[in-house]
Structure formats: C-alpha cells, structure tokens
Amino acid sequence: MVGNWDIIVIGGGIVGCSAAYFASKSRQRVLLFERDTAGSAQSGRCLGFVRQQDRDMKELPIAMGALEIWRSLEERLGRPVGWFQGGSIMLANSEKQLEKQREWQSRAKERGLETKILTPAEVYKQMPLLKQDESIKGASFTETDGRAEPGLATRAIFDAAIEEGTEAIRGQLVSGIETAGGKVVGVRSKGELYQAPTVICAAGAGTSRLLRKLGVLLPQEIIRSSIARTSRTPRKFPICTSLPTTGLRQSTDGSIHLSVLGGEYDLRMDSLRYAKWYSALRKDNTDTIRVNYLSPLRQFMSGKTPPPMGDIAPTSDCVPPDSNRLNMAQSEVAKYLPALADLKITSSWAGYIDTLPDMLPAIGGVQNIDGLLVATGFNGHGFCLGPKVGEILATLAHGKTSDIDLTPLSLERFQKSGRAVRP
C-alpha cells in the first residue's frame, strides 16, 4: 500500500485533467495516473474544434455547458489555451442535407442554442475564400462555437490541477481497479495498491480493459484519426469549417489543421470480442470507416513509427497517420478553398478515438460498484466536452448531483441491451 487519497483519476487526457482540476479546486486530495504524459493521446492530437453544432441532443447540454467554461478557461487557469470564438460552419451540398440541418436547428433551439441556416449567398459572405459552386446549397452556422489548441489546452489544465494540489504519476500504467464489498478501495499499479474511496476512470481506449476485470461490459472500439498541418498563411480563416468530408481550422500560428471524416478500425482483440456490436455501424459507414486487418503486423514492420514533433507529446501507441486520408483532405480543401491550395503539408500525426456502438459517450457511475465513475467513448467529441465533463465528475465525486441529466449516457444502456456478448 502506497498512500491514501480522496480521488484517484485514471487518464491524463482533457477529461481526466479537468476532473482533477475541479476536484482539487474543491479541496479534494487527488492523485492522477497517466501512462505517458498529459495530452499525449487523442486529447492532444485532435482537430481542436470546440463545437456545439450537430451534436446529438443527448450530449448537446454538455457541449453548451462546456462552451461556458471554455469562454473563461484562460482566465480561470491563468494560462493560454489558444481559445478563439469564431463560430463553426457545416456546408450542405444537397437539399436533403440542408433539410437535416434545419431539423437539427429546430431541436437545438428548443434547448436554447441558436444556429443559423445560411443561403449560398450568406455562406460566401461568411467565407470569402470559398469557391462559388452550384453544389453548395447552404450551410449551418453556429456563431458561439470556437476553437483551441489541443496539446496546449490539455497541458494547461494539467498544470493548473497540479498547482491546485493534484499529485500525478506519469509514465506508469494502472493495471486494475480494486474493490471490496461492492465498493472501490483504490487502484493497483506496478503491484502496489493506491487507496481511494473514489476512482474516476477516464482512460480513453483503455477503459474497457479495466472495467472488464470488474465484470462490467463496455463494448468499446478505437478509430485511428489522422491530422495534417500545413505551412502558415497570412490569410485569416476564423471559422471552424466542415466541408463535405474534411474539417479544418486555423491554428494560432497561422497554419491550417485538417482531417478527413472517419478513420480506420485498427484490428485488435477487442475488435473480435465486440464485433457484433459494430457490424451495423460499419455497414452503414463504409465510405468513412475502414477496417485495417493488417494492424497487428505493424509492430513487426520497420520504419512505421512517426517522428516526434516538438509541440505534440509522444504516445506509446506510436500511431501512424494515414497518408491516403490526408491526401483526400488536401484535395478537397484545394477544390473548395483554392486560395489555400498552395499550402504544403509540413507535418502529420494520428491518434486513437475511443468510441461506443451508438456513437455516444458513457458518463457516470457503475451499477453495483460504489465509488467508481467512468467517462469514455467520446467519439472524437471529448476535447470540446472535456472541461464540462471534468466538472461533472468532480461534482459526482463530491457526492453532489450533476446539473445535467446523465441518464441517456449511462453505462447501463449496454448492460440492458440483451446481447449475447459478455465481458
């Protein structure tokens, strides 16, 4: 036995760091475990959108709450996170897509979020660099959305948590969550027991492994997402933009970050274990999601480890970007934004998005295990939602009730599904 804390957080992504920060602010004694360094997994490798637009209605309240935190985050932390509130826009290149945007707008308005449906003329006014094309039928525009720098923001929250009193162990994997009599007693790492009555598991793609040891079913998968960064441009590109298949934002240094929708399911043991859960999803998304059956051979292939980059923390996953997807993104940017066509890709990287079969996160307690809280399966939305989810977890850990109804995001939805798959 090593020591005793009020809360142990597993995972140094933006959710785990935010939970540690808010818990420490409320004078809880917090220990955070991170197998690599803060932000080294998907939180520090994502595109950087802070977007309420087009969220599922079950997670929209969290996104809206997160925006309130993001607006004041730099002031709260006393550190830069690259925050810029320039809005987000999603182009519609068919009347059917435009109608879906109108339906979403109506439902979002009922929940207090204002989103505009733009005509083609209004789209071009908002985006002067956009090439006029008869395929563009309009767009959905959410003025209150924004963007931030993923690695910078995650590390800033981590540093602020440490400043508030959080202790951290980095470069060390948690092997298991320990329970006794239906209650959490701590976590085990390197054969040692670290004691705490509350454990927050925000371990990303590693969450399913930890829960399976407790007999809890979480059919989690990972999707490899690739990002590219271009050379810098003096042109101003303030809006986070979703082209038909490519998302792009401008970084604080003037470069453009871009990524193609979807990614690769890198085959692993859990891919076989939970295959039935994902069969319909993969069938319905063959144009954006591809199963990489050769993934298990990657560790035996030389020259596949991406080179380190100074502003992106290295990950032990050694995830290589997919050059085909990055070429697709670059081609689409050149088609719709010809003024940016000459920008060269200067660097690229990838990360693993943790996902669940219904494309919604799992947030909250675990049935029959007192003191265990989970937040995982964000499907690429974790960066935006992270600060609010962290605040929610810290509130729950303190024995209080969340200001947002988490029932639709409960882990129990998988336990009650009736599928034959078991942990």
Side-chain angles (χ1 to χ4, degrees):
M1 186 172 65
V2 177
N4 202 308
W5 292 266
D6 296 320
I7 301 169
I8 293 177
V9 178
I10 307 173
I14 195 166
V15 172
C17 289
S18 297
Y21 169 73
F22 283 109
S24 292
K25 286 280 287 186
S26 64
R27 300 297 180 261
Q28 298 292 296
R29 291 172 297 130
V30 181
L31 174 65
L32 183 146
F33 273 91
E34 165 53 42
R35 64 169 187 171
D36 295 320
T37 60
S40 59
Q42 187 60 17
S43 290
R45 295 169 170 268
C46 62
L47 195 53
F49 283 18
V50 179
R51 172 174 61 83
Q52 304 157 102
Q53 184 163 247
D54 203 40
R55 297 297 189 206
D56 189 288
M57 292 299 147
K58 295 175 182 177
E59 67 178 14
L60 180 59
I62 301 178
M64 294 173 67
L67 255 292
E68 293 303 314
I69 296 177
W70 276 106
R71 284 171 174 159
S72 61
L73 192 58
E74 292 184 328
E75 182 179 352
R76 292 188 191 211
L77 303 180
R79 295 168 169 82
V81 300
W83 170 249
F84 181 81
Q85 195 166 21
S88 68
I89 194 166
M90 300 184 70
L91 299 186
N93 57 356
S94 71
E95 291 296 338
K96 182 178 180 181
Q97 189 177 6
L98 196 60
E99 182 56 34
K100 286 184 177 180
Q101 290 182 349
R102 291 193 184 98
E103 291 175 3
W104 187 91
Q105 177 203 35
S106 177
R107 297 177 66 195
K109 188 173 183 178
E110 293 174 359
R111 290 158 175 79
L113 178 65
E114 291 293 334
T115 295
K116 301 176 182 177
I117 301 298
L118 306 181
T119 65
E122 290 171 328
V123 173
Y124 299 129
K125 185 176 180 180
Q126 285 287 350
M127 299 183 63
L129 298 185
L130 184 67
K131 179 182 178 181
Q132 296 197 18
D133 191 306
E134 62 180 13
S135 68
I136 298 174
K137 306 302 180 184
S140 174
F141 177 61
T142 304
E143 191 172 8
T144 52
D145 283 350
R147 69 192 191 207
E149 298 297 327
L152 182 67
T154 306
R155 290 192 298 271
I157 298 171
F158 172 81
D159 289 342
I162 297 297
E163 199 170 82
E164 292 291 340
T166 294
E167 298 178 64
I169 297 177
R170 290 175 284 186
Q172 191 168 316
L173 190 69
V174 170
S175 57
I177 300 169
E178 295 291 318
T179 63
K183 297 181 179 180
V184 162
V185 297
V187 306
R188 195 166 292 278
S189 179
K190 288 193 173 181
E192 298 283 358
L193 176 63
Y194 296 76
Q195 287 189 305
T198 301
V199 170
I200 295 174
C201 187
T207 302
S208 179
R209 170 185 62 85
L210 291 169
L211 294 185
R212 190 161 58 243
K213 293 181 178 181
L214 299 174
V216 178
L217 171 65
L218 185 72
Q220 190 173 51
E221 256 289 16
I222 55 174
I223 299 176
R224 176 160 48 101
S225 174
S226 301
I227 310 287
R229 172 168 49 201
T230 72
S231 51
R232 301 176 185 182
T233 174
R235 294 179 181 274
K236 300 300 181 183
F237 197 79
I239 303 175
C240 289
T241 300
S242 296
L243 302 177
T245 63
T246 302
L248 64 155
R249 72 164 176 93
Q250 189 166 40
S251 180
T252 52
D253 66 1
S255 64
I256 302 294
H257 291 214
L258 49 93
S259 178
V260 164
L261 176 70
E264 282 65 51
Y265 277 113
D266 284 347
L267 191 68
R268 57 191 185 128
M269 283 302 298
D270 279 359
S271 302
L272 304 177
R273 180 179 283 116
Y274 301 130
K276 291 183 179 179
W277 288 84
Y278 289 88
S279 58
L281 182 64
R282 288 169 177 162
K283 183 178 179 180
D284 294 340
N285 294 275
T286 54
D287 55 335
T288 58
I289 296 175
R290 180 177 64 88
V291 179
N292 178 19
Y293 295 100
L294 299 178
S295 178
L297 301 177
R298 193 173 69 221
Q299 60 181 313
F300 303 109
M301 300 169 67
S302 61
K304 295 298 181 181
T305 302
M309 286 172 279
D311 61 335
I312 298 178
T315 171
S316 56
D317 289 326
C318 297
V319 194
D322 186 286
S323 59
N324 290 329
R325 287 189 179 273
L326 298 181
N327 290 335
M328 289 169 58
Q330 195 174 26
S331 296
E332 188 166 74
V333 168
K335 175 183 176 182
Y336 285 91
L337 300 161
L340 303 179
D342 292 337
L343 297 180
K344 306 297 183 184
I345 290 180
T346 59
S347 57
S348 61
W349 58 90
Y352 279 131
I353 293 173
D354 50 303
T355 186
L356 293 168
D358 55 7
M359 309 294 276
L360 287 169
I363 306 172
V366 177
Q367 194 174 31
N368 301 323
I369 305 179
D370 291 343
L372 179 57
L373 298 170
V374 172
T376 191
F378 288 93
N379 195 50
H381 304 170
F383 182 68
C384 168
L385 306 181
K388 182 61 180 179
V389 174
E391 183 186 60
I392 289 171
L393 293 170
T395 299
L396 296 177
H398 205 51
K400 299 180 180 179
T401 303
S402 167
D403 60 343
I404 291 175
D405 181 17
L406 300 176
T407 305
L409 305 177
S410 168
L411 275 74
E412 293 182 35
R413 69 187 192 265
F414 301 111
Q415 323 304 318
K416 296 177 180 179
S417 69
R419 286 185 180 270
V421 178
R422 292 292 181 268

